[in-house]
Amino acid sequence: EERFESAARFRDTVRALDRLTERQKVVASPDEESDVVALYADEVCACVSVFFIRRGAVMDKSDFLFGADRIPDESEMAAFLLELYQMREFIPRRILLSFDLGEDRETLEEYLTGRAGRKITVHTPRRGEWKTLCDMVRDNAEERCKRYRIDTEKEEGALLRLAGLLGLETYPSRIESYDISNFGKEQLTAGMVVLADGKCKRSDYRVF
């Protein structure tokens, strides 16, 4: 049993190192510092992926998922970027986009330049290595959406099976579960956990 646990820890360590290596993939010259932002959307969801390139390598990335009721279009991306960089302390000199901002690009550039205290360029490349990099980040966003769809289908399948077992016409969109514990005659404690559309909704958890 101990050998199995050791093997599992070793496997997890290797996977973590693989993820770290992938995250630090060299994609540009050693002095390059830029952010690459890409948008992918379909009828089910949307994902904005951001790769943070420092010293020519992808040092970190963030994926922002949106459900079908909140899919942003390119006209809303300026507001998204504005909010994103309000939360970040460092703004690189170059921000590459896989989409067009239209007239909002200059406005965003002016705001970011003022906030950073130096010239910031927001650019949508049409060819070359920067376009290839934007395409890579967009592929990442598309892959994240695919995983989201697969996970959603699994969750909906489980809810439909539960609805069948309970004799419900539709699957339950909200499930509340309570646990009541007694400690003596006066100490009564109850906890509530909530699932919304098959996912834990921790913001609705309660202790009574």
Side-chain angles (χ1 to χ4, degrees):
E1 183 177 348
E2 291 182 359
R3 290 198 301 270
F4 286 129
E5 292 179 356
S6 298
R9 286 195 296 269
F10 178 76
R11 177 203 62 203
D12 294 341
T13 301
V14 171
R15 288 178 177 175
L17 289 172
D18 287 343
R19 289 194 296 270
L20 179 62
T21 301
E22 177 64 24
R23 190 183 306 139
Q24 295 181 340
K25 180 180 180 181
V26 176
V27 294
S29 60
D31 60 343
E32 180 61 34
E33 292 192 346
S34 59
D35 290 349
V36 186
V37 186
L39 168 67
Y40 174 83
D42 57 28
E43 68 280 359
V44 176
C45 66
C47 178
V48 178
S49 289
V50 186
F51 278 30
F52 304 99
I53 300 172
R54 303 293 181 264
R55 298 181 181 178
V58 180
M59 299 303 295
D60 200 4
K61 74 182 186 73
S62 295
D63 295 327
F64 302 88
L65 274 170
F66 301 87
D69 58 333
R70 297 193 303 128
I71 293 179
D73 55 32
E74 293 184 352
S75 65
E76 299 173 298
M77 289 306 297
F80 173 88
L81 292 169
L82 181 66
E83 184 176 352
L84 173 67
Y85 285 105
Q86 284 175 341
M87 298 184 295
R88 296 192 64 82
E89 295 183 3
F90 177 76
I91 303 174
R93 295 183 181 275
R94 191 197 322 266
I95 298 173
L96 302 171
L97 309 177
S98 71
F99 48 86
D100 287 315
L101 285 180
E103 297 178 355
D104 291 333
R105 184 188 64 80
E106 293 184 5
T107 303
L108 181 64
E109 273 190 347
E110 292 177 3
Y111 169 79
L112 295 178
T113 295
R115 190 170 188 277
R118 50 189 167 77
K119 176 62 177 176
I120 304 297
T121 301
V122 180
H123 177 53
T124 302
R126 303 300 180 187
R127 62 180 66 85
E129 61 177 341
W130 296 128
K131 174 64 164 61
T132 300
L133 189 55
C134 286
D135 290 343
M136 181 185 75
V137 179
R138 186 181 182 278
D139 289 343
N140 176 86
E142 182 178 3
E143 180 61 29
R144 186 64 186 86
C145 279
K146 288 180 180 178
R147 294 202 306 270
Y148 174 85
R149 288 198 302 271
I150 292 172
D151 292 342
T152 300
E153 289 171 359
K154 289 181 179 178
E155 291 162 0
E156 290 181 349
L159 288 173
L160 288 172
R161 290 193 295 273
L162 177 61
L165 291 172
L166 297 176
L168 303 176
E169 293 183 358
T170 60
Y171 70 75
S173 60
R174 181 182 174 92
I175 300 173
E176 297 179 0
S177 177
Y178 297 85
D179 178 72
I180 300 175
S181 302
N182 291 291
F183 298 96
K185 294 182 179 180
E186 298 181 357
Q187 296 182 355
L188 179 64
T189 302
M192 178 184 74
V193 298
V194 177
L195 279 79
D197 295 323
K199 298 180 180 179
C200 294
K201 190 175 183 181
R202 299 185 184 279
S203 61
D204 283 5
Y205 286 13
R206 296 291 184 272
V207 177
F208 307 100

